[in-house]
Amino acid sequence: MQGTGPELVEREPALATLRDLLGSLSRRRGQTVLVTGPAASGRSALLRAFAEEAVAAGASVLTSAGSPAESRLPFELVNQLLPGLRLADGALDHAPSAQPAGAFGADAAREVHRTVARLARTAPVVLVVDDVQHGDRESLDCLLYAVRRLERAPVMIVVSEPEQPVPGVPSVSSALLPHRRCTRLRIGPLSVDGIRTLATHRVGAVQARRLAPRLKLLTGGNPLLVHALLDDSGGDDGCACGEAAGSGGGDDGAGGTGSGEACAGTRFHDAVLTCLDRCGPGAADVARALALIDTPATAQLIGEVTRMTPESVGQAVTALSTSGVIENFRFRHPGARSAVLASVPYERHRALRLRVAELLHRRGARPAEVARHLLRCGEVGAPWACQVLESAAEAAMADDDIDHAVNCLRHAHLSAVDTVRRTTSRIKMVQAEWCRDPELSQRHLKDLIGQVRQGGVAEEALTPLVKQAVWHGAPGIAEELLDRLRLDTGAVCPSEAAERQFTHLWAASVYPSLLRTVPQTPVGRRRDSGPLLGRMDRPLRAAGALVDVLKPGGHDAAVADADQLLETVYPAGREREVFRVAVLALETLLYAGRAERAARWSERLLDSSGDSQGRTWLALLSWTAAEAALRQGDLPAAAERAREALKLIPQASWGVAVGLPLSCLVAAQTGMGDFPAAAGQLAQPVPDAMFRSRYGLHYLYARGGHALATGRPDAALTDFQFCGDLMCEWGIDSPGLFPWRLGAARAWHDKGRTERARRLVNDQMTRLGTDGSRTRGAALRLLAAASPVRQRRTMLQESAEILQACGDRLEAAYTLADLSRVESELREHRRAWVLARKALQLARACGAGPLAESLLPGARPKDAVPVAVPPDAAALTPGERRVASLAADGYTNREIAQRLYITGSTVEQHLTKVYRKLSIRRRDELPTDL
């Protein structure tokens, strides 16, 4: 007997049983064997191996195999057997004709029986019929006739059929099993041990041991599928395991993008399709439905998709499951799903997709699930499809999947059945595109405005169009659209009214000339309006806080609102509402002089949302971080964040808001002394409409600062005065925005018009009142420049205290440098040198190169002696010394408390003791070498 190869792993017991039954033929005992098993489980391989052994044992072996294509040809199986009979015995004069049986059927059955009986007189006869379920009716009648009459002849009849009955085809087992000499052999799937044995022949024992469990999971133990995976993997154990098959082959392709899916290549795909063919009619349709649905399905849903009866669906699902292709209505291997999808012609694929989508929609499936199928159908042209795609886009935006949202809205636009719906979908698509690159949305604006004027746009679609007009520099169009949205709370629901009011408030915050048109409505900006306004509560409050802080006056309520709103959006989610609330609240803090808070919140929000697809929102957050760093005097950080903002979206995508990152970068580069780089940024073209917006104020103020630093006071004066004229015209002349009078005063001072400069500074001081803001500190420094030397010292000392308390290190460094010069004029050289050292340290920490260079020559006057650590410093405790050292370096009490993890009151107590022990009165008298 021959040894068994890898194709017969775990088939040896069945083969041994067949050998024993063959041996019993010598006792003239006929045998009938029925071999069953799942599709592609190795029944044919077993029959071939047994036939070879039977021939070797001296038996006459006659073989045939059924085929679906030949199942309607009468006597086809017998015709396959009879040529073998002729070769064995020339006694037959004719074969049954391939005509309808009629009266010839009985004669043919008797002739086959007599011929096989004659052959059995000289040697045992083995009749092997594979896939008997596809045999023609006439041949099966002949076969059954022989079975009943050859019990005492040395004849063995071996037939195979699938374990699951084929719908519409009578099972041969029902006729054979009652026979008393019929043996049933079931060929099951391979076990893990069997797969390991099989794989050992291909990849070796070590890899086979690791692969076997995974291969069992992916194939259910189907030998055909196991062999195919090993063939496609080429010995790569990772591929054979499907470990990299992350994509699942995609929705349409035959191959996936992952390397594991690529390993499930041609052989595996062919093997899967072979399994479908062998699972009987209906199995392929069920498999296609499962491949298209690609979510846990039910037999009822599959039946509706395929239009099959529940019984037929159940039989097909069972056959696919036992063959190892599926498990629990899901494909075991993603490559199997790919193979099934690739076998479906495009038009059939599209029709099935659409049917699946419609059925899921009727069953109340989530829009995202339905949209996944609609996106593969192209233009659908059904109102329900358009609505589903828009809902799916909204959900995708909430999940920060902007690319998917844009794709859904593009298909919704194609699927709309009327102009209004089509335009509405297009506007929503533009709004989604803005989040990832505003330049993409700009190309639609002109055409959409034309649609609005023709009456082809629904009112609810106007608010996003207003925002596009604002961003892309069309304030006239924005005002025209806002006129169409005059709030009428009796006509719209509260949340829609709030959306419209938010749009108007935000547009007015960008173009302050629109502030006069902001309507007052019953909706208002109430802290308790959340249940009424729903998702619009936070955006409306944020926009209201920003508008409030733009106007002169107390900003405590706006700052409180901004702080509270930022608490609610951290850690940052991916929803559009979160980003727009955060950006508006951060702008409020910046304009209210709370740069330190804005910096902290900006960095926290960027850290928690850095992987968002909403690049426009990330760019705006990067700008708020840059602006906060600039207002704190951290020039390198401001420049870095501003560059990040310009890198996230191209400069052309910023619209009128380009003034934000550009101005920040110009101001930082100017402060660092990189004047050519700043000039290069100022040479970039900017939209004319920017100078009609709040963003233009940023640009004008930065450009004026650059002109001052490069010795062009006239150009600086023009920019500062233009900035002031706009702020006064718009009614937003607030020093927290831009202290333009101080910039103009510096320009007049550089022109030698000291009295003119003094008047502007005094005017600014009057508007400040008693507020101890960074603007007040800067104003005192400028006022000191136009005052007698004795008064100058007092003003500069107050300025230094205010600026250090506010955390503006750069302005504090300038003030300390001026105070050092004053002390030098007053012959207080030791104090002058100490102050110069402090100013130099702060200038270097801020990256202010020009200021640092100006301090180096005079940092230690020639007639001054080095200042040693005061002897009294030895009396300081370690804690007092740490606090004093940080204070000498210019840190505020709050910053010292944060760095040393102590309270602010503890810092104050330590400093009081330090002043007493060192016999000094002020912070700026602290030695720098503690």
Side-chain angles (χ1 to χ4, degrees):
M1 294 293 179
Q2 299 178 1
T4 59
E7 68 278 0
L8 293 177
V9 170
E10 293 191 334
R11 306 300 181 243
E12 295 88 345
L15 188 58
T17 299
L18 290 172
R19 292 190 193 115
D20 292 340
L21 294 174
L22 178 63
S24 68
L25 296 182
S26 60
R27 298 189 294 274
R28 301 189 66 80
R29 297 179 61 184
Q31 299 290 342
T32 302
V33 182
L34 175 63
V35 181
T36 65
S41 58
R43 289 176 283 118
S44 298
L46 175 66
L47 266 58
R48 284 194 299 272
F50 173 65
E52 292 175 1
E53 291 196 7
V55 169
S60 295
V61 179
L62 310 173
T63 63
S64 63
S67 168
E70 299 171 349
S71 61
R72 295 183 179 277
L73 297 178
F75 301 109
E76 177 59 30
L77 284 180
V78 172
N79 280 331
Q80 292 180 40
L81 292 170
L82 287 177
L85 290 173
R86 283 198 179 98
L87 291 174
D89 188 337
L92 287 178
D93 295 326
H94 65 278
S97 67
Q99 299 176 0
F104 298 103
D107 294 338
R110 285 190 288 270
E111 191 68 27
V112 168
H113 168 252
R114 286 194 295 267
T115 304
V116 172
R118 269 197 304 273
L119 285 172
R121 294 172 189 164
T122 57
V125 175
V126 177
L127 302 180
V128 178
V129 182
D130 196 9
D131 287 330
V132 71
Q133 75 277 8
H134 296 308
D136 58 277
R137 180 174 55 82
E138 292 78 8
S139 295
L140 293 180
D141 289 342
C142 293
L143 190 62
L144 292 173
Y145 184 91
V147 167
R148 290 190 293 268
R149 288 163 176 77
L150 293 173
E151 288 187 7
R152 297 188 177 278
V155 177
M156 183 174 180
I157 302 176
V158 183
V159 300
S160 77
E161 71 171 1
E163 192 171 37
Q164 297 300 320
V166 177
V169 177
S171 175
V172 176
S173 60
S174 60
L176 291 180
L177 289 177
H179 196 274
R180 67 187 183 93
R181 296 237 177 117
C182 181
T183 302
R184 180 171 184 169
L185 295 178
R186 183 184 183 276
I187 307 301
L190 296 176
S191 66
V192 174
D193 289 340
I195 294 175
R196 182 171 62 249
T197 302
L198 187 153
T200 299
H201 292 274
R202 306 289 300 276
V203 297
V206 176
Q207 289 187 9
R209 188 179 301 109
R210 196 177 75 84
L211 287 174
R214 181 67 175 165
L215 286 172
K216 174 68 174 180
L217 184 66
L218 293 172
T219 65
N222 184 311
L224 180 64
L225 299 180
V226 172
H227 277 291
L229 272 183
L230 291 172
D231 287 343
D232 284 335
S233 70
D236 186 336
D237 58 336
C239 290
C241 281
E243 291 173 350
S247 69
D251 275 345
D252 282 342
T257 58
S259 62
E261 175 64 4
C263 290
T266 304
R267 290 182 180 273
F268 184 75
H269 288 192
D270 290 345
V272 170
L273 298 181
T274 298
C275 288
L276 298 189
D277 289 341
R278 295 182 181 179
C279 284
D285 290 337
V286 169
R288 290 168 183 168
L290 286 173
L292 289 170
I293 297 171
D294 195 32
T295 56
T298 63
Q300 183 180 358
L301 178 59
I302 295 172
E304 292 179 9
V305 173
T306 60
R307 294 184 171 88
M308 293 170 59
T309 65
E311 181 182 5
S312 298
V313 170
Q315 291 174 343
V317 168
T318 301
L320 291 169
S321 299
T322 56
S323 69
V325 176
I326 68 172
E327 182 182 31
N328 296 328
F329 290 89
R330 297 298 298 267
F331 287 91
R332 287 178 173 269
H333 193 294
R337 177 172 177 264
S338 298
V340 173
L341 288 175
S343 69
V344 186
Y346 173 75
E347 289 301 327
R348 175 65 174 160
H349 187 150
R350 183 180 181 279
L352 284 173
R353 280 276 186 200
L354 186 56
R355 180 163 178 78
V356 169
E358 190 170 4
L359 287 170
L360 290 174
H361 175 61
R362 290 178 183 174
R363 288 168 167 258
R366 293 182 302 108
E369 184 179 353
V370 181
R372 184 169 56 84
H373 298 285
L374 290 175
L375 291 176
R376 301 292 177 179
C377 296
E379 184 176 344
V380 176
W384 68 268
C386 183
Q387 294 170 1
V388 166
L389 288 166
E390 288 185 0
S391 298
E394 186 174 350
M397 290 293 291
D399 291 337
D400 192 45
D401 193 350
I402 298 174
D403 294 340
H404 182 57
V406 171
N407 196 21
C408 287
L409 291 168
R410 184 178 294 115
H411 280 77
H413 173 67
L414 295 173
S415 300
V417 295
D418 59 77
T419 302
V420 174
R421 188 76 257 169
R422 188 177 300 113
T423 306
T424 300
S425 298
R426 186 180 177 188
I427 290 174
K428 291 181 178 181
M429 179 181 69
V430 168
Q431 187 179 18
E433 284 184 333
W434 178 90
C435 293
R436 61 180 184 180
D437 188 352
E439 189 177 15
L440 298 175
S441 65
Q442 186 177 11
R443 60 191 178 191
H444 300 277
L445 187 59
K446 184 177 180 180
D447 186 34
L448 289 172
I449 295 302
Q451 292 288 336
V452 170
R453 290 169 178 165
Q454 295 173 15
V457 177
E459 282 195 2
E460 67 269 17
L462 292 181
T463 50
L465 204 53
V466 172
K467 297 166 190 172
Q468 296 300 315
V470 168
W471 183 271
H472 293 298
I477 292 176
E479 189 169 7
E480 175 189 343
L481 295 175
L482 288 171
D483 287 340
R484 295 172 177 264
L485 287 173
R486 292 300 178 188
L487 294 180
D488 180 3
T489 53
V492 294
C493 65
S495 61
E496 176 62 23
E499 177 71 54
R500 296 183 183 186
Q501 189 178 7
F502 166 82
T503 302
H504 210 143
L505 283 170
W506 177 74
S509 76
V510 176
Y511 296 103
S513 61
L514 297 176
L515 282 170
R516 57 182 171 77
T517 67
V518 174
Q520 299 298 322
T521 71
V523 173
R525 185 166 59 89
R526 303 190 297 266
R527 289 178 178 271
D528 60 346
S529 59
L532 177 65
L533 303 181
R535 67 179 182 86
M536 284 307 301
D537 174 57
R538 291 187 302 178
L540 186 57
R541 286 176 55 195
L546 178 57
V547 168
D548 285 349
V549 85
L550 292 176
K551 301 173 183 177
H555 300 144
D556 291 343
V559 170
D561 265 356
D563 278 331
Q564 185 183 44
L565 289 168
L566 287 168
E567 291 283 356
T568 67
V569 299
Y570 180 81
R574 298 293 186 264
E575 300 88 349
R576 180 184 54 189
E577 307 303 332
V578 166
F579 283 115
R580 66 177 178 178
V581 167
V583 171
L584 292 174
L586 289 168
E587 288 180 305
T588 300
L589 292 180
L590 287 169
Y591 294 146
R594 308 307 198 271
E596 184 183 355
R597 292 190 209 174
R600 184 171 64 254
W601 278 115
S602 296
E603 296 298 338
R604 292 173 71 183
L605 290 166
L606 281 169
D607 288 342
S608 65
S609 60
D611 59 345
S612 170
Q613 286 188 18
R615 294 190 296 273
T616 303
W617 292 115
L618 291 179
L620 287 170
L621 282 177
S622 294
W623 165 74
T624 62
E627 185 70 18
L630 181 66
R631 293 184 179 228
Q632 290 181 294
D634 191 346
L635 301 178
E640 181 183 358
R641 281 301 192 186
R643 290 191 191 96
E644 287 178 6
L646 288 168
K647 186 178 179 180
L648 280 165
I649 57 174
Q651 187 167 323
S653 296
W654 278 88
V656 295
V658 71
L660 299 176
L662 271 185
S663 64
C664 201
L665 185 55
V666 167
Q669 291 172 334
T670 300
M672 291 188 293
D674 194 353
F675 303 129
Q681 297 298 335
L682 291 171
Q684 299 291 327
V686 293
D688 292 337
M690 184 189 73
F691 296 102
R692 300 170 61 186
S693 73
R694 166 170 54 93
Y695 308 138
L697 302 178
H698 287 260
Y699 189 85
L700 288 170
Y701 199 80
R703 191 170 68 180
H706 179 264
L708 270 180
T710 53
R712 295 179 292 120
D714 289 324
L717 188 59
T718 299
D719 281 337
F720 289 131
Q721 192 62 56
F722 186 21
C723 183
D725 291 344
L726 290 175
M727 293 173 70
C728 292
E729 177 188 345
W730 294 337
I732 60 170
D733 188 10
S734 173
L737 284 173
F738 301 100
W740 63 271
R741 290 177 181 83
L742 300 185
R746 289 172 57 199
W748 283 116
H749 185 274
D750 288 356
K751 287 167 63 68
R753 304 288 296 275
T754 306
E755 189 56 35
R756 191 77 177 265
R758 181 193 292 274
R759 285 200 301 270
L760 280 170
V761 175
N762 284 331
D763 187 13
Q764 186 72 83
M765 293 283 286
T766 302
R767 295 171 184 274
L768 287 172
T770 59
D771 182 23
S773 65
R774 62 190 292 268
T775 303
R776 182 178 181 80
L780 284 169
R781 183 172 77 86
L782 290 177
L783 193 59
S787 302
V789 66
R790 294 287 179 185
Q791 296 177 13
R792 203 182 307 164
R793 172 195 271 177
T794 303
M795 292 179 182
L796 289 173
Q797 286 173 341
E798 183 181 355
S799 173
E801 289 181 357
I802 291 173
L803 291 170
Q804 290 186 74
C806 291
D808 189 340
R809 294 192 187 181
L810 183 58
E811 280 294 335
Y814 278 109
T815 297
L816 291 175
D818 289 351
L819 185 56
S820 172
R821 297 183 186 101
V822 169
E823 296 292 352
S824 182
E825 289 181 34
L826 295 174
R827 309 295 295 174
E828 295 286 348
H829 297 302
R830 178 183 181 279
R831 284 178 50 77
W833 183 58
V834 170
L835 291 169
R837 284 284 301 274
K838 289 184 178 180
L840 180 61
Q841 288 176 344
L842 286 176
R844 286 173 170 169
C846 294
L851 175 59
E853 290 177 8
S854 71
L855 289 166
L856 284 174
R860 181 181 177 186
K862 293 181 180 179
D863 55 348
V865 295
V867 180
V869 178
D872 294 337
L876 299 180
T877 66
E880 291 168 351
R881 186 182 292 271
R882 285 193 295 270
V883 170
S885 178
L886 290 172
D889 288 341
Y891 288 92
T892 66
N893 286 4
R894 177 180 295 178
E895 291 171 335
I896 294 172
Q898 290 175 345
R899 290 174 70 91
L900 298 181
Y901 301 100
I902 58 179
T903 64
S905 61
T906 302
V907 174
E908 293 177 1
Q909 293 170 11
H910 282 337
L911 286 177
T912 300
K913 294 177 181 178
V914 169
Y915 294 162
R916 185 175 65 250
K917 291 179 180 180
L918 299 183
S919 301
I920 60 177
R921 293 176 299 171
R922 294 180 175 277
R923 194 186 197 95
D924 55 21
E925 295 178 4
L926 285 167
T928 58
D929 297 327
L930 285 172

